[in-house]
Amino acid sequence: MSDTNTQSADTPALADKPVRVRFAPSPTGTLHLGGARTAIYNWAFARKHGGDFILRIDDTDKKRSTPENVAQILEALSWLGIDWDEGPQADGNITGDYGPYYQTQRADSYRKALDKMISSGACYRCFCTAEELTTKRDAARKVGGNPGYDRTCRDIDSVISQSRADNEESFVWRLRVPKDRTSVIVNDLVRGKIEFPIEAIDDLVLARTDGTPLYNFANTVDDLDMGITHLIRGDDHLSNTPKQILIFEALAGPESVPEFAHLSMIYGSDGKKLSKRHGAVGVEEYATLGFLPDALLNGLALLGWSLDAETTIISPETLKSEFSLERVSKNPARFDMAKLEHVNSVYIQEMSADNFTQAMLPWLINADLTTQEDYESRPEWYLELAPLISERIKLMTEVVPLAHFLFLDDIEIDEKARSKALDKDPETVRTILIAVQNALENLDDFNLENIEAALKDLPVQLDLKPRVVFQALRATISGSLVSPPLFESIALLGKKRTLQRLFAVLNA
């Protein structure tokens, strides 16, 4: 009997090969956070080692797999800034020499691989019906036995097996798990050595009667055909690994087995399985929630990996140059929306005025506050606005509520601002606004410096607290008690609109 250790990081057969990794999503829905993190780690690993990152679409679930879901996955990856070397591209083209990259188009490959295993005796026909298998499993459980397949058909004579198939008796093809070994050992690049006793591994089903492959067989054939050197994936696939290793070995020998790295689960901040209640939605929804792609990439990369014990802001370039499997944690990661929002705020605040303007503009346009033409006619105005907004928000969804008053001719004053700043003492408010009106009307050059000089001493002149004066003015100008800096807002709003708003409140 022999033990085969196929998963050493020093495996000579793989050490000299260029790195080739893959991400193989099933297009049955949107790209979720766990899948996105797996893609990020594969991408970063490939870029770090100068290798290739392959995107393969596992679309064998024909009922739920749709072209729309494929497009959505490609768009989500592209939005995150992830590029791939082979596979279907967002523009509809296919790149790479190892395709097809859709499983539904790879039937010939599966058929050839199955024929090879049949010829070598690595698999056999199993004629047991579903009812018979259920009965055997139930009986085994009652006596505390192994509920796995009892290998009833493993030693059927090949002539008899062929005759039964010729008579159109239904069957499946099962892997002939070797008896001359005690275990399958995986030297996982994240989890270390894991040993699977051979008796715990079923003679798994590879394909149906018509040759249609099942998951483990199809994926192994794909990975073998595409020359995958490292399989970096979630630990929900860990139980499949020994089975797939046996298929690799049966098809192409031990030297064909890639190295494995299994990533821990992602939990919510409460330690429970990640779900929508923790804020976990499809990747594309994070764009509508106001996250920047680099910030989400950063946040997902840190769910199980770290550059060191302290760094929390990791640029895409740093991730590609510094990523290593050695620093991937074995422990489950915890997704925290508040932390992600903090990371997003850092990215927003560190953007240049020009870059933030370009990020801000679509939000303003989609809210019908401005147009591309308006931006192009006065880009300097937007560049002055940009830092006033970026310094005060965590999410891009906050742009419109904070800046909308600067784009409108008429505004509504919200109830809180009206009750706290305007309605408590109408006569005092009227005195304040008349004083402001007089101060601003006389300004020929309506710029920030002159506005500040004209208004900053009003509280002293009126013998009022600054908070009372400027809160009333802020409510009048912005319609809210929360806005960008007051004097800067007045400068951006312009003399005409500012005086119009003073007039509107004074004459309400």
Side-chain angles (χ1 to χ4, degrees):
M1 294 187 180
S2 65
D3 293 324
T4 301
N5 185 335
T6 58
Q7 304 307 303
S8 170
D10 299 320
T11 303
L14 291 174
D16 297 330
K17 291 183 179 180
V19 165
R20 287 179 61 81
V21 295
R22 54 80 166 171
F23 177 55
S26 176
T28 55
T30 60
L31 180 64
H32 55 80
L33 293 186
R37 184 191 64 169
T38 298
I40 290 167
Y41 284 8
N42 276 278
W43 169 75
F45 184 79
R47 297 295 172 256
K48 169 68 181 292
H49 294 281
D52 291 323
F53 176 43
I54 295 96
L55 179 65
R56 190 175 73 223
I57 304 298
D58 286 2
D59 57 346
T60 51
D61 187 341
K62 295 180 180 179
K63 290 184 179 179
R64 296 193 298 153
S65 296
T66 67
E68 291 77 16
N69 286 338
V70 173
Q72 199 169 48
I73 290 170
L74 302 188
E75 185 176 344
L77 291 172
S78 297
W79 179 77
L80 281 170
I82 296 175
D83 59 327
W84 51 98
D85 305 289
E86 299 178 24
Q89 301 295 322
D91 61 6
N93 292 321
I94 304 290
T95 59
D97 300 324
Y98 292 80
Y101 295 96
Y102 288 84
Q103 280 195 330
T104 50
Q105 299 173 13
R106 296 184 54 79
D108 287 347
S109 295
Y110 305 139
R111 183 71 250 182
K112 290 176 183 177
L114 184 61
D115 288 344
K116 184 175 182 179
M117 294 191 72
I118 294 170
S119 298
S120 67
C123 64
Y124 62 92
R125 294 185 185 90
C126 172
F127 297 94
C128 297
T129 65
E131 293 77 10
E132 289 171 337
L133 292 172
T134 298
T135 299
K136 290 178 182 181
R137 280 194 294 268
D138 291 344
R141 288 192 182 100
K142 286 181 181 179
V143 298
N146 183 357
Y149 179 57
D150 64 1
R151 297 174 175 172
T152 297
C153 300
R154 181 173 172 127
D155 296 320
I156 293 176
D157 181 81
S158 59
V159 175
I160 296 175
S161 176
Q162 184 63 57
S163 175
R164 293 175 68 173
D166 290 342
N167 288 328
E168 298 186 354
E169 187 173 346
S170 181
F171 66 89
V172 295
W173 289 102
R174 287 186 180 272
L175 174 71
R176 194 183 299 273
V177 173
K179 293 181 178 180
D180 61 343
R181 63 192 295 171
T182 59
S183 63
V184 176
I185 296 174
V186 180
N187 283 330
D188 193 280
L189 299 179
V190 170
R191 298 175 170 275
K193 181 179 178 180
I194 308 172
E195 186 169 0
F196 297 86
I198 202 72
E199 62 268 17
I201 304 174
D202 266 352
D203 283 8
L204 66 145
V205 177
L206 302 176
R208 300 182 179 89
T209 304
D210 62 0
T212 303
L214 273 67
Y215 174 84
N216 280 303
F217 186 57
N219 275 267
T220 303
V221 172
D222 292 342
D223 291 334
L224 184 61
D225 286 354
M226 295 180 184
I228 303 303
T229 62
H230 297 75
L231 277 172
I232 304 169
R233 59 191 183 181
D235 64 5
D236 52 327
H237 290 284
L238 187 57
S239 62
N240 292 323
T241 299
K243 304 169 187 176
Q244 293 175 356
I245 287 174
L246 293 175
I247 298 171
F248 275 113
E249 292 178 348
L251 284 170
E255 67 279 1
S256 69
V257 181
E259 299 187 48
F260 289 88
H262 289 92
L263 312 174
S264 63
M265 296 288 289
I266 302 175
Y267 293 150
S269 56
D270 57 2
K272 296 181 180 179
K273 187 176 179 182
L274 191 63
S275 66
K276 287 186 176 181
R277 72 175 182 276
H278 301 110
V281 294
V283 167
E284 73 284 351
E285 292 185 55
Y286 282 88
T288 63
L289 290 173
F291 288 91
L292 299 174
D294 283 358
L296 184 58
L297 182 77
N298 186 151
L300 292 179
L302 294 180
L303 290 177
W305 174 84
S306 64
L307 180 63
D308 50 43
E310 299 178 355
T311 306
T312 58
I313 304 301
I314 309 290
S315 70
E317 291 307 313
T318 299
L319 180 61
K320 288 189 288 184
S321 64
E322 300 296 334
F323 181 82
S324 66
L325 291 170
E326 288 79 5
R327 294 197 64 84
V328 174
S329 174
K330 301 176 186 179
N331 301 319
R334 292 201 176 193
F335 173 76
D336 187 324
M337 182 65 85
K339 288 183 179 179
L340 183 60
E341 287 183 3
H342 168 71
V343 170
N344 200 63
S345 71
V346 173
Y347 273 85
I348 287 175
Q349 291 163 19
E350 291 184 350
M351 294 175 81
S352 68
D354 185 61
N355 287 342
F356 182 75
T357 297
Q358 297 308 315
M360 172 178 66
L361 198 57
W363 293 87
L364 297 172
I365 293 174
N366 290 338
D368 292 327
L369 293 177
T370 190
T371 63
Q372 182 68 29
E373 291 73 23
D374 182 70
Y375 162 70
E376 291 173 358
S377 70
R378 50 172 185 160
E380 297 82 5
W381 186 90
Y382 286 85
L383 290 175
E384 290 178 19
L385 171 64
L388 305 182
I389 302 298
S390 64
E391 292 170 3
R392 289 164 176 79
I393 64 173
K394 291 183 178 181
L395 301 167
M396 295 302 294
T397 48
E398 299 172 74
V399 167
V400 169
L402 196 59
H404 74 286
F405 73 97
L406 294 168
F407 295 88
L408 301 173
D409 289 328
D410 300 307
I411 61 167
E412 290 186 9
I413 297 174
D414 68 47
E415 194 57 40
K416 185 176 181 181
R418 184 175 293 282
S419 62
K420 280 197 168 188
L422 301 180
D423 290 347
K424 276 188 176 181
D425 188 348
E427 286 305 314
T428 298
V429 169
R430 183 173 182 80
T431 298
I432 292 169
L433 298 186
I434 289 174
V436 171
Q437 185 180 49
N438 292 335
L440 296 182
E441 278 180 335
N442 296 324
L443 293 182
D444 293 326
D445 192 353
F446 203 79
N447 59 34
L448 176 60
E449 185 179 356
N450 290 340
I451 292 167
E452 186 172 1
L455 300 180
K456 67 178 181 179
D457 293 331
L458 274 184
V460 175
Q461 296 170 16
L462 299 174
D463 194 22
L464 293 170
K465 292 180 179 180
R467 180 181 61 82
V468 174
V469 173
F470 295 126
Q471 198 173 64
L473 181 54
R474 188 184 301 276
T476 300
I477 295 301
S478 70
S480 172
L481 297 179
V482 179
S483 75
L486 181 57
F487 297 153
E488 286 84 344
S489 295
I490 292 172
L492 287 169
L493 191 61
K495 186 173 183 178
K496 180 180 178 181
R497 280 181 169 175
T498 299
L499 294 175
Q500 284 175 342
R501 290 185 190 181
L502 292 168
F503 181 84
V505 173
L506 286 169
N507 291 273

